CSV table of all heavy atoms in Angstrom, one decimal:
chain,number,residue,atom,x,y,z
A,63,ASN,N,0.8,-1.3,0.0
A,63,ASN,CA,0.1,0.0,0.0
A,63,ASN,C,0.9,1.2,0.0
A,63,ASN,O,0.5,2.2,-0.6
A,63,ASN,CB,-1.0,0.0,1.2
A,63,ASN,CG,-2.1,-1.0,1.0
A,63,ASN,OD1,-2.5,-1.4,-0.1
A,63,ASN,ND2,-2.7,-1.4,2.1
A,64,ARG,N,2.0,1.3,0.7
A,64,ARG,CA,2.8,2.5,0.7
A,64,ARG,C,3.4,2.7,-0.7
A,64,ARG,O,3.5,3.8,-1.2
A,64,ARG,CB,4.0,2.3,1.7
A,64,ARG,CG,3.5,2.4,3.1
A,64,ARG,CD,4.7,2.4,4.1
A,64,ARG,NE,5.5,3.6,4.1
A,64,ARG,CZ,5.1,4.8,4.6
A,64,ARG,NH1,3.9,4.8,5.4
A,64,ARG,NH2,5.9,5.9,4.5
A,65,MET,N,3.7,1.6,-1.4
A,65,MET,CA,4.3,1.7,-2.7
A,65,MET,C,3.2,2.1,-3.7
A,65,MET,O,3.4,3.0,-4.6
A,65,MET,CB,4.9,0.5,-3.2
A,65,MET,CG,6.2,0.1,-2.5
A,65,MET,SD,7.6,1.1,-2.8
A,65,MET,CE,7.4,2.4,-1.5
A,66,GLU,N,1.9,1.8,-3.5
A,66,GLU,CA,0.8,2.3,-4.5
A,66,GLU,C,0.5,3.7,-4.2
A,66,GLU,O,0.4,4.6,-5.1
A,66,GLU,CB,-0.6,1.4,-4.0
A,66,GLU,CG,-0.5,0.0,-4.4
A,66,GLU,CD,-0.6,-0.2,-5.9
A,66,GLU,OE1,-0.7,0.7,-6.6
A,66,GLU,OE2,-1.0,-1.4,-6.3
A,67,LEU,N,0.6,4.2,-2.9
A,67,LEU,CA,0.4,5.7,-2.6
A,67,LEU,C,1.6,6.5,-3.1
A,67,LEU,O,1.4,7.6,-3.8
A,67,LEU,CB,0.4,5.8,-1.1
A,67,LEU,CG,-1.0,5.4,-0.5
A,67,LEU,CD1,-0.7,5.3,1.1
A,67,LEU,CD2,-2.1,6.4,-0.8
A,68,THR,N,2.9,5.9,-3.0
A,68,THR,CA,4.1,6.7,-3.6
A,68,THR,C,3.9,6.8,-5.0
A,68,THR,O,4.3,7.8,-5.6
A,68,THR,CB,5.3,5.9,-3.1
A,68,THR,OG1,5.5,5.8,-1.7
A,68,THR,CG2,6.5,6.6,-3.7
A,69,ALA,N,3.5,5.7,-5.8
A,69,ALA,CA,3.4,5.7,-7.1
A,69,ALA,C,2.4,6.7,-7.7
A,69,ALA,O,2.6,7.5,-8.7
A,69,ALA,CB,3.0,4.2,-7.7
A,70,LEU,N,1.3,6.9,-6.8
A,70,LEU,CA,0.4,7.9,-7.4
A,70,LEU,C,0.9,9.3,-7.2
A,70,LEU,O,0.7,10.1,-8.0
A,70,LEU,CB,-0.9,7.6,-6.6
A,70,LEU,CG,-2.2,8.5,-7.1
A,70,LEU,CD1,-2.7,7.6,-8.4
A,70,LEU,CD2,-3.2,8.5,-6.1
A,71,ALA,N,1.5,9.6,-6.1
A,71,ALA,CA,2.1,10.8,-5.8
A,71,ALA,C,3.1,11.2,-6.8
A,71,ALA,O,3.1,12.2,-7.5
A,71,ALA,CB,2.8,10.8,-4.5
A,72,GLU,N,4.0,10.2,-7.3
A,72,GLU,CA,5.1,10.4,-8.2
A,72,GLU,C,4.4,10.6,-9.7
A,72,GLU,O,4.9,11.3,-10.4
A,72,GLU,CB,6.1,9.3,-8.3
A,72,GLU,CG,6.9,9.1,-7.0
A,72,GLU,CD,7.9,10.3,-6.7
A,72,GLU,OE1,8.1,11.0,-7.6
A,72,GLU,OE2,8.4,10.4,-5.5
A,73,GLY,N,3.4,9.9,-9.8
A,73,GLY,CA,2.6,10.0,-11.2
A,73,GLY,C,2.1,11.3,-11.4
A,73,GLY,O,2.2,11.9,-12.4
A,74,ILE,N,1.4,11.8,-10.4
A,74,ILE,CA,0.8,13.2,-10.4
A,74,ILE,C,2.0,14.2,-10.8
A,74,ILE,O,1.7,15.1,-11.5
A,74,ILE,CB,0.0,13.5,-9.1
A,74,ILE,CG1,-1.2,12.7,-8.9
A,74,ILE,CG2,-0.2,15.0,-8.9
A,74,ILE,CD1,-2.0,12.8,-7.7
A,75,ALA,N,3.0,14.0,-10.2
A,75,ALA,CA,4.1,15.0,-10.3
A,75,ALA,C,4.6,15.1,-11.7
A,75,ALA,O,5.3,16.0,-12.1
A,75,ALA,CB,5.2,14.6,-9.3
A,76,LEU,N,4.4,14.0,-12.4
A,76,LEU,CA,4.8,14.0,-13.9
A,76,LEU,C,3.9,14.9,-14.8
A,76,LEU,O,4.4,15.3,-15.9
A,76,LEU,CB,4.7,12.5,-14.4
A,76,LEU,CG,5.4,11.5,-13.8
A,76,LEU,CD1,5.4,10.1,-14.4
A,76,LEU,CD2,7.0,11.8,-13.9
A,77,VAL,N,2.7,15.3,-14.3
A,77,VAL,CA,1.8,16.1,-15.2
A,77,VAL,C,2.0,17.5,-14.8
A,77,VAL,O,1.9,17.9,-13.7
A,77,VAL,CB,0.4,15.7,-14.8
A,77,VAL,CG1,-0.6,16.5,-15.9
A,77,VAL,CG2,0.3,14.2,-15.1
A,78,PRO,N,2.3,18.4,-15.8
A,78,PRO,CA,2.4,19.8,-15.5
A,78,PRO,C,1.0,20.4,-14.9
A,78,PRO,O,0.0,19.9,-15.2
A,78,PRO,CB,2.6,20.4,-17.0
A,78,PRO,CG,3.1,19.3,-17.8
A,78,PRO,CD,2.5,18.1,-17.1
A,79,GLU,N,1.1,21.3,-13.9
A,79,GLU,CA,-0.1,21.9,-13.3
A,79,GLU,C,-0.9,22.6,-14.2
A,79,GLU,O,-0.5,23.2,-15.2
A,79,GLU,CB,0.5,22.9,-12.1
A,79,GLU,CG,1.2,22.2,-11.0
A,79,GLU,CD,1.3,23.3,-9.9
A,79,GLU,OE1,0.7,24.3,-9.9
A,79,GLU,OE2,2.1,22.8,-9.0
A,80,GLY,N,-2.2,22.3,-14.1
A,80,GLY,CA,-3.3,22.8,-15.0
A,80,GLY,C,-3.6,22.0,-16.1
A,80,GLY,O,-4.4,22.3,-17.0
A,81,THR,N,-2.8,20.8,-16.4
A,81,THR,CA,-3.0,20.0,-17.5
A,81,THR,C,-4.0,18.9,-17.1
A,81,THR,O,-3.7,18.2,-16.3
A,81,THR,CB,-1.7,19.3,-18.0
A,81,THR,OG1,-0.7,20.4,-18.4
A,81,THR,CG2,-1.9,18.5,-19.2
A,82,PRO,N,-5.1,18.8,-17.8
A,82,PRO,CA,-6.1,17.7,-17.4
A,82,PRO,C,-5.6,16.4,-17.7
A,82,PRO,O,-4.9,16.2,-18.7
A,82,PRO,CB,-7.3,18.1,-18.3
A,82,PRO,CG,-7.1,19.6,-18.6
A,82,PRO,CD,-5.7,19.8,-18.8
A,83,ALA,N,-5.9,15.5,-16.8
A,83,ALA,CA,-5.3,14.1,-17.0
A,83,ALA,C,-6.0,13.3,-16.1
A,83,ALA,O,-6.4,13.6,-15.0
A,83,ALA,CB,-3.7,14.1,-16.8
A,84,THR,N,-6.3,11.9,-16.5
A,84,THR,CA,-6.7,10.9,-15.6
A,84,THR,C,-5.6,10.0,-15.1
A,84,THR,O,-4.7,9.6,-15.8
A,84,THR,CB,-7.7,9.9,-16.4
A,84,THR,OG1,-8.8,10.6,-16.9
A,84,THR,CG2,-8.3,8.8,-15.5
A,85,VAL,N,-5.6,10.0,-13.8
A,85,VAL,CA,-4.5,9.1,-13.0
A,85,VAL,C,-5.0,7.7,-12.8
A,85,VAL,O,-5.9,7.7,-11.9
A,85,VAL,CB,-4.1,9.9,-11.9
A,85,VAL,CG1,-2.9,9.3,-11.2
A,85,VAL,CG2,-3.6,11.3,-12.2
A,86,HIS,N,-4.5,6.8,-13.3
A,86,HIS,CA,-4.9,5.4,-13.2
A,86,HIS,C,-4.2,4.8,-12.1
A,86,HIS,O,-3.0,4.8,-12.1
A,86,HIS,CB,-4.9,4.6,-14.4
A,86,HIS,CG,-5.6,5.2,-15.6
A,86,HIS,ND1,-6.9,5.0,-15.9
A,86,HIS,CD2,-5.2,6.2,-16.6
A,86,HIS,CE1,-7.4,5.7,-16.8
A,86,HIS,NE2,-6.3,6.3,-17.3
A,87,THR,N,-4.9,4.0,-11.2
A,87,THR,CA,-4.3,3.1,-10.4
A,87,THR,C,-5.1,1.7,-10.2
A,87,THR,O,-6.3,1.9,-10.4
A,87,THR,CB,-4.2,3.7,-8.9
A,87,THR,OG1,-3.7,2.6,-8.0
A,87,THR,CG2,-5.4,4.2,-8.3
A,88,ASP,N,-4.5,0.6,-10.0
A,88,ASP,CA,-5.3,-0.7,-9.9
A,88,ASP,C,-5.5,-1.1,-8.5
A,88,ASP,O,-5.9,-2.1,-8.2
A,88,ASP,CB,-4.6,-1.7,-10.7
A,88,ASP,CG,-3.1,-2.0,-10.2
A,88,ASP,OD1,-2.8,-1.7,-9.1
A,88,ASP,OD2,-2.4,-2.6,-11.0
A,89,SER,N,-5.2,-0.1,-7.6
A,89,SER,CA,-5.5,-0.3,-6.2
A,89,SER,C,-6.9,0.5,-5.8
A,89,SER,O,-6.9,1.7,-5.7
A,89,SER,CB,-4.4,0.3,-5.2
A,89,SER,OG,-4.7,0.3,-3.9
A,90,LYS,N,-8.0,-0.3,-5.5
A,90,LYS,CA,-9.3,0.2,-5.2
A,90,LYS,C,-9.1,1.0,-3.8
A,90,LYS,O,-9.7,1.9,-3.5
A,90,LYS,CB,-10.3,-0.6,-5.1
A,90,LYS,CG,-10.8,-1.2,-6.4
A,90,LYS,CD,-11.8,-2.2,-6.4
A,90,LYS,CE,-12.3,-2.6,-7.8
A,90,LYS,NZ,-13.5,-3.6,-7.7
A,91,LEU,N,-8.1,0.4,-2.9
A,91,LEU,CA,-7.9,1.1,-1.7
A,91,LEU,C,-7.5,2.5,-1.8
A,91,LEU,O,-8.0,3.5,-1.1
A,91,LEU,CB,-6.9,0.1,-0.8
A,91,LEU,CG,-6.6,0.7,0.4
A,91,LEU,CD1,-7.8,0.7,1.5
A,91,LEU,CD2,-5.4,0.0,1.1
A,92,VAL,N,-6.5,2.7,-2.8
A,92,VAL,CA,-6.0,4.1,-2.9
A,92,VAL,C,-7.1,5.0,-3.5
A,92,VAL,O,-7.1,6.1,-2.9
A,92,VAL,CB,-4.8,4.0,-3.8
A,92,VAL,CG1,-4.4,5.3,-4.3
A,92,VAL,CG2,-3.6,3.3,-3.2
A,93,VAL,N,-7.9,4.5,-4.4
A,93,VAL,CA,-8.9,5.3,-4.9
A,93,VAL,C,-9.8,5.7,-3.9
A,93,VAL,O,-10.4,6.8,-3.7
A,93,VAL,CB,-9.6,4.7,-6.1
A,93,VAL,CG1,-10.8,5.4,-6.6
A,93,VAL,CG2,-8.7,4.3,-7.3
A,94,ASP,N,-10.4,4.7,-3.2
A,94,ASP,CA,-11.3,4.9,-2.0
A,94,ASP,C,-10.8,5.9,-1.1
A,94,ASP,O,-11.5,6.8,-0.5
A,94,ASP,CB,-11.7,3.6,-1.4
A,94,ASP,CG,-12.8,2.8,-2.2
A,94,ASP,OD1,-13.3,3.4,-3.3
A,94,ASP,OD2,-12.8,1.6,-2.0
A,95,THR,N,-9.5,5.8,-0.7
A,95,THR,CA,-9.0,6.7,0.3
A,95,THR,C,-8.9,8.0,-0.2
A,95,THR,O,-9.3,9.0,0.7
A,95,THR,CB,-7.5,6.2,0.6
A,95,THR,OG1,-7.4,4.9,1.2
A,95,THR,CG2,-6.7,7.2,1.5
A,96,LEU,N,-8.5,8.3,-1.4
A,96,LEU,CA,-8.4,9.7,-1.8
A,96,LEU,C,-9.6,10.4,-2.4
A,96,LEU,O,-9.7,11.7,-2.3
A,96,LEU,CB,-7.3,9.8,-3.0
A,96,LEU,CG,-5.9,9.3,-2.6
A,96,LEU,CD1,-4.8,9.3,-3.7
A,96,LEU,CD2,-5.3,10.3,-1.5
A,97,THR,N,-10.6,9.7,-2.8
A,97,THR,CA,-11.8,10.1,-3.3
A,97,THR,C,-13.0,10.2,-2.4
A,97,THR,O,-14.1,10.8,-2.6
A,97,THR,CB,-12.2,9.6,-4.6
A,97,THR,OG1,-12.5,8.1,-4.3
A,97,THR,CG2,-11.2,9.5,-5.7
A,98,SER,N,-12.9,9.5,-1.3
A,98,SER,CA,-13.9,9.3,-0.3
A,98,SER,C,-13.6,9.3,1.1
A,98,SER,O,-13.8,10.3,1.7
A,98,SER,CB,-14.7,7.9,-0.5
A,98,SER,OG,-15.6,7.8,0.4
A,99,TRP,N,-12.7,8.4,1.7
A,99,TRP,CA,-12.4,8.3,3.1
A,99,TRP,C,-11.7,9.5,3.7
A,99,TRP,O,-12.0,9.9,4.7
A,99,TRP,CB,-11.8,7.1,3.4
A,99,TRP,CG,-12.4,5.8,2.9
A,99,TRP,CD1,-13.8,5.7,2.8
A,99,TRP,CD2,-11.9,4.6,2.6
A,99,TRP,NE1,-14.1,4.4,2.3
A,99,TRP,CE2,-13.0,3.7,2.2
A,99,TRP,CE3,-10.6,4.1,2.5
A,99,TRP,CZ2,-12.7,2.4,1.9
A,99,TRP,CZ3,-10.4,2.7,2.2
A,99,TRP,CH2,-11.4,2.0,1.8
A,100,ALA,N,-10.8,10.0,2.9
A,100,ALA,CA,-9.9,11.1,3.4
A,100,ALA,C,-10.6,12.4,3.7
A,100,ALA,O,-10.3,13.2,4.5
A,100,ALA,CB,-8.7,11.5,2.4
A,101,HIS,N,-11.7,12.7,2.9
A,101,HIS,CA,-12.5,13.8,3.3
A,101,HIS,C,-13.0,13.8,4.7
A,101,HIS,O,-13.0,14.7,5.4
A,101,HIS,CB,-13.7,13.9,2.2
A,101,HIS,CG,-13.3,14.1,0.8
A,101,HIS,ND1,-13.0,15.4,0.4
A,101,HIS,CD2,-13.0,13.3,-0.2
A,101,HIS,CE1,-12.7,15.3,-0.9
A,101,HIS,NE2,-12.6,14.0,-1.3
A,102,GLY,N,-13.5,12.6,5.1
A,102,GLY,CA,-14.2,12.4,6.5
A,102,GLY,C,-13.1,12.5,7.5
A,102,GLY,O,-13.2,13.1,8.6
């Protein structure tokens, strides 16, 4: 899980700010964490 989170952070850093993009991960845990649980 730490490697999945690190990969996502590093992947986002590859995209210039303001450039629309879809960031794909095959970890549902990471998706749920960032799009749902972290808000609460």
Side-chain angles (χ1 to χ4, degrees):
N63 289 335
R64 289 188 69 82
M65 292 293 92
E66 293 282 10
L67 289 163
T68 300
L70 195 77
E72 295 289 345
I74 288 175
L76 298 178
V77 185
E79 290 189 15
T81 302
T84 299
V85 184
H86 302 271
T87 172
D88 57 24
S89 170
K90 289 185 176 180
L91 178 66
V92 168
V93 174
D94 289 341
T95 295
L96 296 175
T97 63
S98 178
W99 303 334
H101 293 275

